[in-house]
């Protein structure tokens, strides 16, 4: 890739002048410490891999969070059979060089590995590398995105992938569909100084805010800055301060906090709730962080939708429900209802494992559907028996079972089996036309609608011969539209 001489010069100057800040290693180790795990040894017994201390606690589900009583960190709970786990973090430094602001982007890997089978916990290790830089002008408009060898373009897209710890091979990031991530964990300790030229941020306390949140789009926050950021930061509601637009121009407290009263502030502060979590809290009004995390991302509408059908708190209490299972659970309920399962039974209403329960009812429904279809086709086949017609060469008779449709379909290599539902609904009829002396083998598949042949196909959807057409025409005139049919209809009336 050609790189303009002026740019090449700038990239080199950046390499020569940007250094890792003083407290960088401290910043990294703080982050690494947040990437811990708590192993579930058995029911109500846990081990914090960070402190290597065992403790007893109420029953907590795998993939929920638990607070270690010793280090007081909130860690993800995993089974003690876990062999490998990796946390990936995007870290960033906002720096200043001449009239430019530069966001340096790093990837941090924290990996957990259980190497020795005799121990019941493994070890953590970590490494990091720089992969991209976004260069802004003094007004914070982006000028250029550059990447090094640690970003790899493949036919499947772009990936951040480790190649080199200290790459200085900078090139332009010019893709219409890939951008460097902009939600990053920023190094906080240099921000007050780096941002000192931006007047509107003088009292903003942005540097304090950045210390207390994980991922943020700092450039967006600066460009959309309003006083609500400062206010929320001072209240200690750091993650909420990241959404200046949601809190701008709202006067009353209730209005700002989606109808929640001031009693909820300590809880919001303790767990540093973000805007999605606040939305869930404002609906559930239950101070249970794991319930809130599991529903985080669901909208008010979706929560309302669930609550119309079941009590959402019981659901959270009794099942592994989370936002990813929202659609699965909704489908489960509607299929279970069609299957006439007893919805008054608590274990049916709140299955312990939603995915399993969902797959089970779907399977049952499919089987039942096939049975129902088969019954309808048998019934219709009996009604159509009077339309069987035969001459020396050919015979034509209706499909009489679902299996006969499937058999015809595979012999003829056509899609007639998919007509089963339409037959069951009475929208059309399917007949098989075969040689009189060889009734087992398919010859022509015939679709009839309103006593008329609307489709006739031989193997592989080929057209019928003249002799076959003559026979079908005769059958249509004589039987389908003919006296016998009228007579049959009269008999039925
Ligand atoms: Zn601990």
């Amino acid at each position: 890739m050609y790189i303009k001489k002026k740019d090449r010069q700038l990239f080199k100057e950046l390499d020569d002048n940007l250094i890792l800040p003083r407290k960088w290693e401290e910043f990294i180790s703080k982050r690494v410490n947040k990437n811990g795990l708590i192993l579930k040894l058995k029911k109500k017994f846990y081990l914090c891999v960070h402190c290597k201390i065992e403790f007893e606690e109420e029953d907590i589900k795998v993939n929920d969070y638990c607070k270690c009583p010793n280090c007081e960190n909130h860690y993800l709970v995993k089974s003690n059979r876990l062999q490998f786990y990796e946390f990936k973090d995007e870290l960033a430094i906002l720096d200043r060089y001449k009239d430019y602001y530069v966001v340096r982007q790093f990837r941090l890997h924290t990996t957990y590995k259980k190497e020795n089978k005799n121990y019941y916990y493994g070890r953590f290790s970590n490494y990091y590398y720089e992969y991209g830089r976004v260069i802004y002008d003094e007004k914070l408009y982006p000028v250029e995105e550059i990447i090094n060898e640690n970003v790899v373009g493949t036919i499947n897209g772009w990936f951040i992938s480790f190649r080199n710890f200290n790459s200085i091979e900078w090139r332009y990031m010019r893709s219409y569909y890939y951008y460097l991530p902009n939600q990053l964990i920023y190094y906080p300790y240099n921000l007050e100084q780096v941002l000192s030229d931006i007047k509107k941020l003088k009292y903003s306390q942005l540097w304090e805010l950045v210390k207390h949140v994980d991922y943020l789009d700092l450039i967006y926050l600066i460009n959309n800055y309003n006083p609500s950021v400062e206010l929320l930061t001072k209240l200690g509601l750091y993650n909420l301060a990241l959404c200046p637009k949601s809190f701008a121009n709202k006067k009353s407290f209730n209005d700002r906090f989606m109808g929640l009263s001031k009693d909820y502030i300590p809880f919001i502060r303790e767990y540093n709730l973000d805007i999605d979590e606040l939305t869930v809290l404002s609906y559930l009004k239950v101070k249970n962080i794991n319930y809130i995390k599991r529903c985080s991302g669901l909208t008010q509408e979706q929560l309302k939708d669930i609550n119309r059908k079941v009590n959402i708190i019981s659901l959270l209490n009794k099942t592994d429900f989370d936002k990813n299972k929202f659609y699965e659970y909704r489908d489960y309920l509607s299929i279970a209802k069609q299957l006439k399962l007893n919805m008054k039974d608590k274990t049916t209403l709140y299955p312990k494992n939603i995915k399993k329960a969902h797959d089970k009812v779907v399977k049952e429904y499919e089987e039942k559907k096939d049975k129902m279809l088969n019954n309808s086709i048998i019934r219709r086949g009996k009604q159509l028996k009077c339309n069987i017609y035969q001459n020396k060469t050919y015979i034509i008779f209706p499909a009489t079972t679902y299996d006969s449709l499937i058999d015809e379909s595979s012999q003829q290599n056509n899609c007639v089996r998919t007509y089963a539902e339409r037959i069951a609904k009475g929208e059309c009829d399917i007949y098989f036309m075969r040689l009189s002396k060889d009734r087992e083998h398919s010859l022509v598949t015939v679709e009839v609608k309103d006593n008329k042949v609307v489709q006739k196909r031989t193997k592989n959807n080929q057209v019928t011969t003249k002799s076959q057409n003559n026979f079908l025409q005769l059958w249509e005139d004589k039987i389908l539209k003919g006296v016998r049919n009228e007579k049959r209809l009269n008999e039925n009336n």
Side-chain angles (χ1 to χ4, degrees), residues 48 51 68 71:
C48 173
C51 327
C68 165
C71 62

Side-chain angles (χ1 to χ4, degrees), residues 451 471-483:
N451 293 328
F471 174 80
L472 284 171
Q473 190 62 56
L474 203 64
W475 173 62
E476 191 181 294
D477 291 344
K478 255 179 121 171
I479 308 294
L480 294 183
K481 295 181 186 164
V483 191

Side-chain angles (χ1 to χ4, degrees), residues 254-261 264 267-268 273-287 292 298-301 303-304 307:
N254 273 333
D255 203 13
R256 270 184 217 274
F257 290 94
M258 305 178 182
L260 288 168
S261 70
Y264 287 91
F267 177 77
I268 299 171
L273 298 195
D274 63 25
I275 191 85
D276 284 347
E277 291 161 351
L278 185 73
T279 307
V280 174
L281 177 66
S282 74
Y283 189 82
L284 296 185
K285 294 201 166 65
V286 168
K287 295 173 192 171
I292 286 165
L298 289 175
T299 62
Q300 288 267 10
E301 267 314 303
L303 290 162
K304 225 185 256 173
N307 224 6

Side-chain angles (χ1 to χ4, degrees), residues 32-82 85 87 112 120-122 124 290:
V32 166
N33 282 342
K34 280 193 180 180
N35 293 334
L37 293 169
I38 285 176
L39 301 179
K40 190 169 183 170
L41 303 176
K42 59 185 178 191
K43 205 173 179 180
K44 296 186 180 178
F45 280 92
Y46 304 86
L47 173 111
C48 173
V49 183
H50 181 69
C51 327
K52 295 165 183 67
I53 275 176
E54 285 179 41
F55 60 93
E56 217 181 316
E57 185 66 67
E58 281 302 294
D59 196 27
I60 296 166
K61 292 187 165 63
V62 165
N63 290 332
D64 270 354
Y65 284 81
C66 173
K67 186 174 174 177
C68 165
N70 188 51
C71 62
E72 302 200 321
N73 287 316
H74 289 95
Y75 288 142
L76 193 62
V77 176
K78 287 283 176 188
S79 147
N80 67 338
R81 290 186 302 273
L82 184 73
Y85 195 80
F87 297 90
Y112 170 82
Y120 49 81
Y121 58 87
F124 278 104
N290 280 322

